[in-house]
Amino acid sequence: MARVYLSPPDPGPEDRELLLDAFDSNWLAPLGPHVDAFERELARRVGLEHGAALSSGTAALHLGLLLVGVQPGDDVLVPTLTFVATANAVRYVGAHPVLVDVDPTTWCLDVGTVADELDRRARGGRLPAAVVSVDLYGGGPDYADLATVCAEFEVPLIEDAAEALGSSFGGRPAGSFGHCAVFSFNGNKIITTSGGGMLVSSSADLVERARFLASQAREPVVHYEHIELGYNYRLSNLLAALGRGQLGRLDRRVARRRAIFERYRSALEPLGGIEMAPVGPGVESNRWLTCLLIDPGAFGAGPEDVRRALEAMDIESRPTWKPLHLQALYADAPVLGGGVAERVFERGLCLPSGSSLTDADQDRVVGALTALRGGRP
Ligand SMILES: *Cc1c(COP(=O)(O)O)cnc(C)c1O
């Protein structure tokens, strides 16, 4: 039996066609018609007009921070429960991440903590240069409140929607909150260009600046003229073609991930000792990964026991993100709270959730958990 992966790429015949079209048209140069179309189509998909296709989600975060004006020495609020890329981008611009705990009902930024911190800092005259919120596993924070709080203190908000393409919060697409938002098309995300990302914004100027900085800040003259420091961050035309095909079938992919989540929920919740990842009111998560909390006392086995049992069956599962304040890399970063993120890490597990997962393979995952549960008093 073939190994079952957590979230493998799931390309279709249309993607192959588009990729070959890009190849045959000899648009192997980085820029080309598929890049332009992918930018337009993805931005439109999240209700915006402008997007810059980039080489990774991390590159998009880096440029987003530069473009909202974060300077060396500034502080930036970041949730502690996220992939390391979110905070690394803050360090790339020479700024300092301040790690904020998450809300137990959303697993995303605790908006009350953000509000208290901005208030405290406003009185001390040292506001952070930006807040980065992360749409974790496809869920989201309370954006109505978070956007209001950031606007009140005039602190720019960047939405790290790397995991949330196809989600919506209060009826608005993930990626449409904040001054700009970031998507990732890494191999394990909802759609993949094998590597890639996008910066989207309602501001044409911001996105134009992103394209400029991503092209080595080359001045628009015929010779190579440079005034500013730039980066080589553009997505290639070939890879954009790959993304367009998958974007066209995004609804089907998201529907499949949601169905997988619901199937896990109905099979696993009755076992007891299992809590599915929560989402806040109005959140329609894409259910990028099905995550759950396992209470070892009530379930009779902990997340690591379950992971090992699945691994023995050649099935990949993974702990939820390890909080950044527990990482050696960020051990000296200030942290506000952290207990909620720690509890998620102690008890959390992500189950195979790819849109190509078969019912038979999902049944094997469920069977493994049921057997573990049954084997205990
Ligand atoms: C995947 C991911 C990123 C980084 O995207 P890459 O395309 O891999 O650079 C950033 N933030 C979060 C929350 C992610 O999950």
Side-chain angles (χ1 to χ4, degrees):
M1 236 178 287
R3 179 164 171 82
V4 176
Y5 289 97
L6 191 73
S7 180
D10 181 20
E14 306 92 289
D15 309 327
R16 192 167 180 280
E17 286 305 311
L18 280 163
L19 185 61
L20 290 177
D21 171 73
F23 183 85
D24 292 342
S25 66
N26 208 23
W27 275 107
L28 301 184
L31 299 183
H34 286 293
V35 172
D36 300 339
F38 189 38
E39 289 176 340
R40 250 192 338 267
E41 289 161 4
L42 189 127
R44 199 170 297 154
R45 171 74 212 205
V46 300
L48 296 173
E49 291 193 12
H50 312 287
L54 302 169
S55 51
S56 70
T58 309
L61 278 167
H62 183 185
L63 295 184
L65 289 159
L66 286 172
L67 291 170
V68 302
V70 178
Q71 303 276 332
D74 284 342
D75 288 338
V76 174
L77 304 194
V78 169
T80 189
L81 190 65
T82 181
F83 179 50
V84 73
T86 315
N88 284 359
V90 174
R91 286 252 174 108
Y92 295 169
V93 301
H96 306 295
V98 174
L99 307 173
V100 180
D101 204 358
V102 296
D103 181 323
T105 66
T106 65
W107 290 12
C108 294
L109 265 185
D110 188 312
V111 180
T113 306
V114 172
D116 290 348
E117 181 66 5
L118 294 188
D119 187 52
R120 192 181 69 78
R121 283 168 171 262
R123 277 183 275 113
R126 192 174 154 67
L127 280 166
V131 172
V132 182
S133 74
V134 176
D135 302 337
L136 207 77
Y137 299 120
D142 182 339
Y143 272 113
D145 276 2
L146 182 60
T148 306
V149 166
C150 290
E152 182 188 333
F153 292 97
E154 294 175 19
V155 175
L157 175 64
I158 297 176
E159 181 185 3
D160 181 347
E163 302 173 359
L165 182 60
S167 297
S168 69
F169 312 135
R172 257 174 72 182
S176 66
F177 300 86
H179 282 62
C180 55
V182 163
F183 289 104
S184 165
F185 315 120
N186 190 26
N188 60 0
K189 297 284 163 50
I190 283 268
I191 69 173
T192 180
T193 58
S194 79
M198 185 106 50
L199 184 75
V200 295
S201 175
S202 59
S203 160
D205 287 350
L206 189 147
V207 169
E208 202 39 60
R209 281 279 298 164
R211 287 201 194 100
F212 170 73
L213 291 178
S215 316
Q216 297 289 19
R218 185 184 169 192
E219 294 294 325
V221 293
V222 287
H223 64 277
Y224 283 87
E225 182 73 25
H226 300 277
I227 301 165
E228 289 178 72
L229 180 65
Y231 306 87
N232 181 7
Y233 276 175
R234 297 288 337 240
L235 186 71
S236 83
N237 193 56
L238 275 184
L239 298 184
L242 198 50
R244 287 185 69 199
Q246 293 168 62
L247 183 62
R249 287 173 297 112
L250 179 63
D251 287 336
R252 256 185 287 164
R253 294 164 164 274
V254 169
R256 178 70 194 130
R257 297 230 184 203
R258 287 177 177 156
I260 288 167
F261 174 87
E262 287 306 331
R263 210 155 168 268
Y264 276 131
R265 183 214 291 277
S266 59
L268 299 178
E269 268 182 349
L271 297 179
I274 285 181
E275 250 177 83
M276 308 304 285
V279 293
V283 171
E284 299 274 352
S285 172
N286 63 6
R287 297 296 182 186
W288 170 53
L289 295 182
T290 290
C291 305
L292 34 84
L293 298 180
I294 302 173
D295 175 348
F299 186 72
E304 181 57 13
D305 304 314
V306 174
R307 196 194 64 76
R308 284 217 205 97
L310 291 172
E311 190 55 49
M313 299 164 65
D314 215 12
I315 296 172
E316 183 185 29
S317 62
R318 240 182 249 172
T320 44
W321 298 123
K322 179 173 177 177
L324 298 182
H325 69 277
L326 302 181
Q327 305 279 2
L329 180 61
Y330 290 107
D332 58 3
V335 53
L336 308 171
V340 176
E342 284 171 29
R343 185 169 167 280
V344 171
F345 178 56
E346 275 158 25
R347 299 197 165 179
L349 192 68
C350 309
L351 298 179
S353 310
S355 37
S356 57
L357 184 73
T358 63
D359 284 355
D361 282 337
Q362 192 177 11
D363 288 342
R364 290 169 62 215
V365 176
V366 168
L369 272 102
T370 310
L372 264 178
R373 176 77 180 109
R376 314 276 158 162

